[in-house]
Amino acid sequence: MGSQSAFDTGRLTRTCSWMQRYVDQRKYAGSSLLVKHNGSEVFYYACGHRSVEQDLPFERDTIVRIYSMTKPVTTVALMMLVEQGLVHLDARLSDILPEFSRMQALISGAERLDQTEDAPSPTLHQLLTHTSGFSYPFNPGLLPEAMDEVDLLFKPNQGVLADRVSDLANLPLAFQPGTRWEYSVGIDVIGRVVEVISGQPLDQFFTQKILDPLGMHDTGFSIPSGARDRFASLYTPLAGDMMELNAAETGDDTLRLVDEAGSSPFENTTTFSAGGGLVSTLDDYSRFAEMLRNHGVGNGHRLLGSQTIEFMLCNHLPGDIASLGPQSFAEQPMNGTGFGLGGAVVIDPGRAGVPGSVGDFSWGGMASTFFWIDRVNDLSVVFLTQLSPSSSYPSRAELKALVIGAMIE
């Protein structure tokens, strides 16, 4: 498509009242949105508060927890090593991390954690596509319960990544690798793989190879020095833990404060969570999204070859996610949606139930952040807010309909 004329600016401004309505109804404390078309900014808006308690506005440079939007960044890191011939995606995890050499998987219908059978060590490809047999504590099932008991969630203050990954190796897989799709900590493990292969701590690798080249200077595993006052507070509508998705009870307060500057674990991070540990800003993450849309080039630097990007952004599952029998929490539609490397891929917009293009690549974070790139229309969109869990409201589908509905060519 050619120019800005592909958008009706009047229709785009409808997103302003939509965002404000979420704030007025005390669903979100505040939010921001950035839309780029053909690499140029066509829309920006922010409203509400980054801290309700301190009456601080949600602004363009507000720093937020992007949680699982870290996953595509980690995927790019691994693909850089793949491009150098240092590892391949069909490699067994045990080839790099020996503690995963003797794997067990729960038998079908298991009622106890010791009801297991031998299993192969999952491949790196299975880790990237959530078909490895790993899980998350907030999913239903025996393995998630066992993970929850030892708080195996790769939080910012849980110590060295290598130790948390070793803890995971002591537990069985939820299923035989490759047989199902289940959202998991697999990409956290990929972060440890990146460390071992590169010989660098993950934060250093990210900074040197991805963040600095793209100019993402407000992005990292800890709040940048001197930027604490820009760090948004995190809220939840739940009465209990913001991650307790299986027993989620709505509380009296739709914006209950759960983390804020001054006492946040993100101020002194010890765990480099490759699956959910980064904080970032609207413009920083837009630079990353634009690099993906622009075939691997961003800020004048080529991070990956164009064909590697094509490979990442295609569907790597036999069909859609729904066809692989998921039981896990997911932040995206499963029907009509496949999975690439590090994010979801639309394979049938009709079945996905949301307007868009075949091949749209997207992912979100637990605090309701979201991004997508539409390479058919040369579009990238980043939406930031801070409310966990992301399943609280259908904002992602609504936002996508609003943006796509503003396109008139």
Side-chain angles (χ1 to χ4, degrees):
M1 283 193 165
S3 66
Q4 205 166 310
S5 63
F7 277 98
D8 181 318
T9 51
R11 282 175 161 259
L12 261 182
T13 58
R14 295 189 297 195
T15 56
C16 302
S17 57
W18 171 80
M19 290 165 68
Q20 188 63 51
R21 189 163 64 247
Y22 264 79
V23 170
D24 293 343
Q25 295 174 351
R26 284 184 61 82
K27 290 180 175 178
Y28 292 158
S31 64
S32 61
L33 174 68
L34 182 58
V35 180
K36 290 186 177 179
H37 180 234
N38 288 331
S40 299
E41 180 177 325
V42 293
F43 187 78
Y44 160 74
Y45 186 68
C47 64
H49 294 87
R50 66 180 185 270
S51 170
V52 173
E53 292 73 22
Q54 298 185 52
D55 194 28
L56 297 173
F58 205 107
E59 296 176 311
R60 186 161 184 147
D61 65 351
T62 292
I63 296 169
V64 304
R65 306 151 194 80
I66 62 169
Y67 287 125
S68 288
M69 280 164 59
T70 305
K71 290 179 170 71
V73 181
T74 302
T75 302
V76 166
L78 183 71
M79 294 312 295
M80 288 176 155
L81 301 176
V82 169
E83 281 194 338
Q84 293 173 50
L86 296 173
V87 69
H88 63 101
L89 295 185
D90 283 333
R92 297 281 174 192
L93 180 57
S94 54
D95 295 346
I96 300 109
L97 303 179
E99 60 263 45
F100 290 94
S101 293
R102 303 185 66 177
M103 300 300 294
Q104 293 285 303
L106 293 169
I107 61 171
S108 180
E111 297 178 355
R112 302 189 316 273
L113 206 62
D114 63 356
Q115 292 178 300
T116 62
E117 58 189 3
D118 290 343
S121 185
T123 66
L124 302 187
H125 187 265
Q126 289 166 339
L127 267 68
L128 289 172
T129 56
H130 299 295
T131 58
S132 62
F134 292 129
S135 192
Y136 261 122
F138 48 71
N139 290 331
L142 285 175
L143 176 59
E145 287 173 12
M147 293 177 71
D148 192 42
E149 284 178 15
V150 294
D151 201 21
L152 194 48
L153 194 54
F154 296 85
K155 295 176 182 176
N157 57 354
Q158 293 191 313
V160 180
L161 178 60
D163 293 343
R164 298 292 72 74
V165 170
S166 292
D167 290 343
L168 183 67
N170 293 325
L171 294 170
L173 299 171
F175 50 86
Q176 290 285 343
T179 61
R180 272 180 35 206
W181 191 94
E182 184 156 318
Y183 198 39
S184 80
V185 297
I187 295 182
D188 280 289
V189 180
I190 289 290
R192 179 58 187 153
V193 169
V194 170
E195 289 189 332
V196 170
I197 294 172
S198 69
Q200 285 185 292
L202 194 62
D203 63 334
Q204 288 183 20
F205 187 96
F206 273 15
T207 299
Q208 292 176 16
K209 305 295 186 182
I210 300 173
L211 304 179
D212 279 357
L214 291 180
M216 297 171 66
H217 302 305
D218 279 331
T219 303
F221 289 107
S222 293
I223 303 166
S225 176
R228 182 199 282 181
D229 61 331
R230 292 193 280 129
F231 188 51
S233 296
L234 177 64
Y235 299 89
T236 184
L238 302 185
D241 189 293
M242 65 173 191
M243 297 288 191
E244 279 186 19
L245 307 182
N246 301 322
E249 292 186 19
T250 303
D252 296 332
D253 187 358
T254 56
L255 290 175
R256 182 171 66 83
L257 179 67
V258 287
D259 186 37
E260 63 180 335
S263 58
S264 175
F266 286 96
E267 290 172 51
N268 188 24
T269 299
T270 58
T271 311
F272 304 142
S273 169
L278 290 177
V279 299
S280 191
T281 62
L282 192 69
D283 281 295
D284 269 20
Y285 206 85
S286 178
R287 290 184 180 99
F288 179 78
E290 277 290 293
M291 179 276 294
L292 294 178
R293 184 196 64 80
N294 199 34
H295 312 286
V297 176
N299 197 35
H301 296 270
R302 176 168 290 284
L303 270 64
L304 290 171
S306 59
Q307 290 303 305
T308 302
I309 295 289
E310 289 290 330
F311 175 73
M312 280 181 59
L313 305 189
C314 67
N315 181 30
H316 286 246
L317 304 179
D320 61 7
I321 297 173
S323 69
L324 283 175
Q327 300 172 17
S328 58
F329 169 81
E331 302 175 322
Q332 314 280 84
M334 291 182 171
N335 289 307
T337 303
F339 205 81
L341 299 184
V345 181
V346 173
I347 51 180
D348 185 338
R351 292 191 62 232
V354 181
S357 302
V358 172
D360 281 2
F361 182 85
S362 65
W363 205 239
M366 184 63 87
S368 305
T369 58
F370 183 54
F371 90 101
W372 85 91
I373 56 171
D374 174 346
R375 292 181 301 158
V376 173
N377 293 303
D378 280 328
L379 186 68
S380 73
V381 182
V382 181
F383 175 76
L384 300 183
T385 186
Q386 291 287 269
L387 186 98
S388 180
S390 56
S391 52
S392 300
Y393 308 112
S395 57
R396 293 172 182 175
E398 292 170 356
L399 173 63
K400 199 170 184 191
L402 279 159
V403 173
I404 297 301
M407 299 195 78
I408 54 173
E409 288 183 10

